Amino acid sequence: MKSKFLLCVNDGGFPESLEPRKFYRVVDDAAAAGEGMARVIDESGEDYLYPRSCFVEVPLSGAVEGRLEAA
């Protein structure tokens, strides 16, 4: 199963929208993924596209994903 969260490792030039070392909720978007982009809920609380290179997928336990979902 694919993670519902990605870890930001680079703000990609969007310091007001992305914070390195922070997990962001992923919104499924196959077309964006095909273009090397990730749709995430950013600091504005809205979903936007960012280069996939700004993030890494980190395996998370179900308990950790649950805590992130509740936050």
Side-chain angles (χ1 to χ4, degrees):
M1 179 180 194
K2 246 182 144 169
S3 178
K4 298 176 189 173
F5 296 90
L6 292 173
L7 178 63
C8 178
V9 293
N10 176 351
D11 70 17
F14 305 98
E16 63 285 341
S17 301
L18 295 175
E19 236 180 271
R21 298 179 302 279
K22 183 173 180 178
F23 283 96
Y24 288 90
R25 183 182 305 270
V26 177
V27 176
D28 286 333
D29 187 331
E35 297 293 322
M37 304 294 279
R39 185 175 295 279
V40 300
I41 311 273
D42 70 7
E43 294 301 312
S44 72
E46 300 292 327
D47 63 286
Y48 289 99
L49 290 173
Y50 294 99
R52 182 66 173 78
S53 60
C54 292
F55 305 94
V56 295
E57 194 165 343
V58 177
L60 301 172
S61 70
V64 171
E65 277 205 15
R67 296 286 299 264
L68 288 172
E69 287 175 356

